[in-house]
Amino acid sequence: MARGGGPLDLRVAVHRRTLLAGIAMAAIAPVRASGAVTHHAAAHAAATHATAPHAATHGTLHRPAIVGRAEPPRPLIMLDPGHGGKDPGAIGVSGTYEKHVAEAAAAELQRQLIGSGRYRVAMTRADDRFIPLEGRVDLAHTHKASLFISMHADALHDRMVRGASVYTLSSHASDAQAAAIARSENSADRFGGPQVHATSPEVQEILASLVTEETRHGAAHMASSIVTSFRPRISLLTHPARHASFVVLKSADIPSVLVEMGFMSNHLDEAALRQSAHRMVVAGAMVQAIDRYFASASMVTRVTG
């Protein structure tokens, strides 16, 4: 038998194949391991790439989103309950003080205006205190009011006269009755002592001439709106929209009106104004009038908050 074909040669050949197989497996294993690592690294890189934009948002500052225009501020209504403190105003036929009626009516109007959610409200006085006429106007300017409403219930010598009316500023009274009421209201400052004086008629005329045409138009519009709202539910004077030289209406840039809710000298008006139910009706009509006033496009441009 030849040397290459014996049992020994067969054992050597088997051993060599086993050895080669082992070497081959040893060589393949690192490649497989390397491939696994490479695949894991690639997967990790892909995951990192996928999450990178999200992660970046936490560390990057962006411009704020563009939003719509903010709502304009609600108009501020300045309510002015007439008289107060040592100034009782008119005294009714049964002893009711005008200052108390004016304060109660203004408080009810304030409640309804705030309840509507459409307005802000400030009061020249919320209790029984004396405030000079000039001080009331100053408060309206301090609060940057869009509208000034002074509330009263005066008295006349003629006890048969009754009904509500609305006044705007003018250097000349619309009638003798309006002139008498203006004199009465302008004399309120006599209760303030020597340091407080009602403006002289000459200065009142000058001040009235300084009121802008826009302010006059706004006041006239408001007065007309109040008369319209009062007419179906509250007794009115004949020709209820009137004008006279009221010191408290002299603001040059705030539309201002003075509302006479009735006359304390008339027993029917006084009795009605003593009732909270009637004051609620008066306030409700005035809210309606104020809504109409601000609904006018020309008036909305006057709102400054």
Side-chain angles (χ1 to χ4, degrees), residues 124-169:
T124 56
R125 67 177 184 90
D127 52 19
D128 189 13
R129 70 175 67 187
F130 173 79
I131 301 175
L133 298 176
E134 296 280 350
R136 297 168 189 263
V137 179
D138 290 343
L139 284 169
H141 286 127
T142 298
H143 284 83
K144 298 181 180 178
S146 300
L147 184 64
F148 179 91
I149 301 175
S150 193
M151 303 182 70
H152 294 262
D154 217 306
L156 294 172
H157 293 298
D158 186 350
R159 295 191 175 188
M160 298 303 294
V161 177
R162 66 174 305 220
S165 53
V166 187
Y167 293 84
T168 54
L169 179 68

Side-chain angles (χ1 to χ4, degrees), residues 8 21 61 72 77 79 87 103 143 151 167 229 231 285:
L8 178 59
L61 295 177
I77 315 299
L79 300 182
D87 173 17
E103 183 183 336
H143 284 83
M151 303 182 70
Y167 293 84
S229 295
R231 197 176 295 282

Side-chain angles (χ1 to χ4, degrees), residues 226-236 288:
I226 292 174
V227 169
T228 299
S229 295
F230 275 9
R231 197 176 295 282
R233 62 192 86 175
I234 298 166
S235 176
L236 290 167
Q288 185 183 71

